[in-house]
Structures are given as C-alpha cells and as structure tokens.
Amino acid sequence: MMTIDGIFAQLNGLIERREWDKVEPFLTGCMENASELKNYGIYITIGNELLDFYRETGQFEKALNLSEDILLLMEELQLEETEHFATVMINVAAVCQAAGRDEEAYRYDVRALKIYEQVLSGGDIRFIRLYQNMSMLLESRNEFEEAEMLLEKAASILEDKPEEKEQRANLLTSAALLRFKQEKYEEGEELLKLALSLYEASGNLPGEAEDGEELHCAHYSAALSGLGEAAFRREDYETALAFYEKAASVSASTFGESEGTRLLRENCAAIVQLLHSDCQNPS
C-alpha cells in the first residue's frame, strides 16, 4: 500500500500530464486497496479527492453515491462530530449544489458550520470556503443581503493575512458574481479586475508557478469568464472573446473536457460568429 504522500504524488503526475482518463481508475484502485487493508484514513482521504474529481467533471450520480458511502463509513467510525466529517460534508454540499440540489446542499453546509463552530477557532481559514459556498446558495435564492454578509465574514478572516492573495481573489470573484446577479455590472467588473490582479500577483497561475503549487483554477476561470461577460455586455466583443478563450483554456487544463469547459467554448464560438457577421455586414 502506498503512503498518502505517494498517492498524491502519483495523482499530481496524472493531472500535470492531463491524463484525465486515468484519474478515476487510479483513485478507485487506491480506495479498494485501502479498504482491503482496513486503512480507513486513506480510504476517506482518497474518497474525498475522488468526490471532488466527480464534481468537477460533472459526474454527479457517481459523486452522490460515493458521498453517501464516505459519510456512512465516518458515522460507523464515530467521526461525525470531527472537522474531517465537516470537511467531507462541505464537499458533498458542493456536489449537491452543482447537481442543482440547492436545498440539500444548504442543509449539509449548515451542519458542517455547526461542527466547525464547535471544533475550530473563529478566525480559522477553513471557514472561508464554507462561507463562500453558503453565500452562493443564498444568492441562488435571491437572498442577496445575507449572501453578502457571509462574504464579508469570510473577508474579515483575511484582514491580517495579506499573504493569502489567492483566497482574497476568490472572495472578490464571488462578490463580483453576486453584483452581476444584482445587475450591478460595473461594480462587478471592477471587483473582477482586482481579483485578476491578485491572481497574477500570487505567482501561482497555471504553467507559471515556480514551486509547482499552482492555484486551484475554478475561481480564476470564473473571474476570466465574468470579465468576458462584462465586456460582452459593453459590446466589446473582441475583449470578451479573449477572456472567454482564456477561461476555456484554464478550465480545460484543470478539469479536462468538462461541462463548464464546453459551455465556455460555446460562448467563444457564438462571439466568433457574431464578429464574423459584423465583418460581413459593417454598419
């Protein structure tokens, strides 16, 4: 049985080489091995990674089945009041949200929050992702004021952590998309520009990180896509295309040919067609 460090080293190698078709069989093989050896710590940790992979690649049924398996195991091991259980619940909530099961996602997040409040200090950085996720769910219910309050709580955790450029950029991206939902497009675009500058200042952009620690690209791709939407609304189609193309490239390099990547490429194709039409019919 490989150590957890060995497993992650091999997994990172697959991701760096973009061998997406090998990720699932590798992780499921590691889980089967861990189960046979009753190494439940590795089983749960790798299961959590596979859960993220299923969510990011749109395999929601597999993700939901796996999440039930992991949570039941953790309950059997009497881990249901631990921070690890809460972390898995946050991942399960993210799966539910991506699958359109928002109410279920919110219930998981609320339970995770109660556990975090019991076992973590108030300024723990792990609250940030949870607040962000809950904010997005409230946003989907048009509860904008409550959604904004959670983002402000998350931002307050970073007040004395200037080194957390990526986390700050993620929050700015979430705040910007909230402004878009409220049709405050100019405010949202300015926030996205700030987010982009922080991502670039982090030195961890895909293909640019010297230490191999590339940032998690979901929010970065969302920021680029949001800037594309803002440019499109201004009818600056060439700028919109440039942002959408970059967002699609980041998404493809991070998640492979996922549903999100496909939608971004559809946006690119639509703008190319629009630009071609403008060339054919100049005003």
Side-chain angles (χ1 to χ4, degrees), residues 2-185:
M2 282 193 292
T3 63
I4 195 68
D5 289 341
I7 292 171
F8 277 115
Q10 193 163 334
L11 174 62
N12 290 336
L14 293 175
I15 293 171
E16 287 169 7
R17 296 190 298 274
R18 316 301 183 202
E19 296 177 347
W20 306 110
D21 58 324
K22 296 181 180 179
V23 171
E24 181 182 3
F26 172 67
L27 292 177
T28 54
C30 289
M31 289 181 69
E32 288 169 4
N33 195 1
S35 179
E36 290 172 3
L37 296 173
K38 300 190 184 303
N39 192 326
Y40 298 123
I42 287 182
Y43 183 90
I44 292 166
T45 300
I46 299 307
N48 215 21
E49 286 297 311
L50 184 56
L51 191 62
D52 271 346
F53 176 77
Y54 284 151
R55 174 177 57 81
E56 291 170 348
T57 54
Q59 301 182 71
F60 301 130
E61 186 174 348
K62 287 183 178 180
L64 291 167
N65 289 337
L66 176 59
S67 65
E68 184 177 352
D69 172 58
I70 295 172
L71 290 175
L72 284 173
L73 173 61
M74 295 185 80
E75 287 175 350
E76 289 175 8
L77 297 172
Q78 298 183 330
L79 297 172
E80 64 267 34
E81 297 301 325
T82 66
E83 65 186 78
H84 305 295
F85 189 78
T87 300
V88 173
M89 293 191 79
I90 293 169
N91 286 340
V92 174
V95 170
C96 291
Q97 182 181 1
R101 297 162 64 163
D102 287 359
E103 291 303 317
E104 191 174 348
Y106 195 74
R107 288 196 296 272
Y108 278 121
D109 278 337
V110 167
R111 187 175 173 191
L113 178 60
K114 289 178 180 177
I115 296 172
Y116 268 8
E117 288 174 338
Q118 291 173 355
V119 301
L120 300 179
S121 63
D124 194 291
I125 203 165
R126 281 168 286 188
F127 277 101
I128 292 176
R129 181 190 174 199
L130 179 55
Y131 288 151
Q132 273 186 287
N133 291 352
M134 295 179 75
S135 175
M136 285 190 288
L137 290 165
L138 289 169
E139 176 191 323
S140 70
R141 287 151 47 168
N142 294 329
E143 297 179 27
F144 300 131
E145 186 175 340
E146 294 83 355
E148 190 166 351
M149 286 175 60
L150 282 172
L151 290 179
E152 288 172 356
K153 287 182 73 172
S156 69
I157 296 173
L158 294 176
E159 285 180 354
D160 59 346
K161 299 178 177 66
E163 72 281 2
E164 295 290 346
K165 293 183 178 66
E166 183 187 336
Q167 290 269 27
R168 200 177 301 278
N170 290 347
L171 287 175
L172 286 169
T173 299
S174 293
L177 298 180
L178 178 58
R179 299 296 193 283
F180 278 14
K181 190 74 178 288
Q182 297 170 282
E183 299 183 357
K184 299 177 181 179
Y185 298 113

Side-chain angles (χ1 to χ4, degrees), residues 194-244:
L194 285 174
L196 197 62
S197 68
L198 284 171
Y199 284 130
E200 291 169 349
S202 73
N204 293 332
L205 295 182
E208 297 178 6
E210 294 181 0
D211 58 2
E213 293 295 324
E214 293 184 354
L215 58 79
H216 187 276
C217 297
H219 282 89
Y220 179 49
S221 179
L224 293 167
S225 177
L227 286 166
E229 179 183 347
F232 186 86
R233 288 182 179 278
R234 295 196 313 274
E235 298 185 3
D236 183 354
Y237 300 131
E238 291 185 356
T239 298
L241 178 60
F243 277 123
Y244 276 129

